[in-house]
Amino acid sequence: MSDETIFTQIVAGKIPSYTVYEDETTYAFLDANPLAPGHTLVIPKEPYERVNDMPPELAGDVFSTVSKITDAVERAVDAPASTIAINNGEEAGQEVPHVHCHIIPQFRDSTTKPVHALFTGAELSAEEMETIAETIRNTQ
Ligand code: 5GP
């Protein structure tokens, strides 16, 4: 059995997909189980599992493709907006271990909630916020 990710097999043409964009380093296609019409996935061709694993240049390429095609995705289904999101890691709901950015068109009558609705919220003191910020600054 192949240990290639499903998405690597899609890029290689071994699994069919509704491809919407391709360049040297990235690929975009319609999600097979769309959350809305036009639901699109943008991936790096190289199968990095998480955003944290990707070289920053490649992460830039992926976001550049998201930026390039989002307008066309929205126009194709007459959507005025979209939710753009990455489930980064298994605990965050990532099912396919190959980075993919969801572009999910949203409509005026949409009942979908914003990303903030996924979380109950964290109450942190100013001291805790500063400690976290300092740790992030010092471990990049
Ligand atoms: P995740 O939950 O990992 O963020 O999202 C994985 C996405 O990949 C899901 O929305 C799922 O519908 C989509 N997906 C899984 N397998 C395939 C496939 O073989 N083809 C396509 N086009 N999408 C897939």
Side-chain angles (χ1 to χ4, degrees), residues 6-7 10 15 29-33 39 41 87 93-96 100 102:
I6 291 172
F7 292 166
I10 285 176
I15 294 178
F29 52 100
L30 298 184
D31 194 295
N33 305 292
H39 182 172
L41 301 175
N87 293 322
Q94 183 178 3
E95 289 171 354
V96 178
H100 48 285
H102 296 260

Side-chain angles (χ1 to χ4, degrees), residues 43-121:
I43 65 170
K45 286 183 172 175
E46 274 192 80
Y48 291 98
E49 184 165 340
R50 296 179 49 172
V51 169
N52 331 19
D53 304 326
M54 276 195 295
E57 266 176 30
L58 183 58
D61 289 351
V62 170
F63 201 72
S64 170
T65 295
V66 170
S67 163
K68 266 184 212 158
I69 71 170
T70 295
D71 205 38
V73 169
E74 290 178 358
R75 270 192 278 111
V77 294
D78 200 19
S82 49
T83 295
I84 294 175
I86 296 175
N87 293 322
N88 194 41
E90 203 177 333
E91 295 78 359
Q94 183 178 3
E95 289 171 354
V96 178
H98 182 149
V99 171
H100 48 285
C101 182
H102 296 260
I103 304 172
I104 308 166
Q106 297 277 14
F107 300 89
R108 274 180 235 292
D109 61 352
S110 187
T111 53
T112 309
K113 297 187 173 74
V115 169
H116 283 72
L118 290 172
F119 301 89
T120 50

